[in-house]
Amino acid sequence: MRRHLLTATAALSLLLAGCGGGAATTGVDDTTSADTPGEGTSVTPADDEPADPANGVASSPVVAIVAVDPGAGTMTLRNNGDTDVSTDGWWVCQRPSYDELDAVTVPAGGTAEIDVSALGLTGSGGEIGVYTSNSFGSADAIVAYVQWGSGDHGRASVAVDAGVWDDPAGFVDNGGEAFTATIDRPDGADDYAVG
């Protein structure tokens, strides 16, 4: 199995250094992963005013899920750090479905729309966890999370333990529709709106 390496920026490395960076595993007990990562991404360059990390160090979450369109099978990641971040070796999870992301550079202060259709998203309810490795039960590996339609999905407690989601029962009440974050660093259901 190909060894998964994380190509990341200094800001992301600093963030993960304290987490111990879980080792990639050769298998997951409850996995049904696709052989081919999703294709199709779009990247939006940084604004003239990128995120302003406190004291020169990006705060958690550096990368956040700022939009989900279950019908299109896409999510949009925002890089709140001050340097570019690569998704090379990163994974997404909607338990029990898993998929390795294509290598996409998310520019500092910018966004990238990523195809996650391999997860089989539905508007009625689901979750997306973004991981730096395939250690899906590890709070050290998860960097972004969102759930919608109902709470207490399979990886909600991992996201809460990692500090990237505020309540395992909290969910975006999207009524089956696409939804978008109302802030750059969403970490709970109240940080999203339908549309």
Side-chain angles (χ1 to χ4, degrees):
M1 175 178 239
R2 183 178 109 200
R3 183 175 178 186
H4 301 285
L5 299 175
L6 173 64
T7 304
T9 63
L12 186 57
S13 296
L14 287 173
L15 176 67
L16 295 176
C19 298
T25 60
T26 57
V28 177
D29 293 336
D30 59 355
T31 183
T32 56
S33 63
D35 293 331
T36 306
E39 296 179 8
T41 58
S42 64
V43 176
T44 303
D47 297 331
D48 290 336
E49 299 179 26
D52 183 22
N55 302 322
V57 178
S59 61
S60 182
V62 170
V63 175
I65 301 168
V66 294
V68 175
D69 186 340
T74 61
M75 72 170 174
T76 302
L77 293 180
R78 176 173 174 78
N79 177 357
N80 292 299
D82 59 357
T83 56
D84 296 350
V85 171
S86 173
T87 62
D88 186 33
W90 287 22
W91 289 74
V92 286
C93 169
Q94 175 177 249
R95 191 175 184 187
S97 297
Y98 307 87
D99 193 39
E100 186 173 10
L101 292 177
D102 289 333
V104 173
T105 299
V106 187
T111 62
E113 182 178 85
I114 299 175
D115 179 4
V116 292
S117 58
L119 295 178
L121 303 181
T122 66
S124 61
E127 69 177 338
I128 299 175
V130 179
Y131 290 80
T132 58
S133 73
N134 62 350
S135 297
F136 303 111
S138 172
D140 293 343
I142 192 169
V143 294
Y145 182 84
V146 66
Q147 64 183 344
W148 63 94
S150 63
D152 294 314
H153 285 270
R155 299 301 179 197
S157 62
V158 176
V160 170
D161 289 347
V164 297
W165 195 249
D166 65 357
D167 179 2
F171 63 92
V172 179
D173 188 8
N174 65 322
E177 301 296 323
F179 54 93
T180 307
T182 57
I183 62 173
D184 290 345
R185 300 173 188 258
D187 66 357
D190 293 339
D191 299 333
Y192 291 89
V194 175

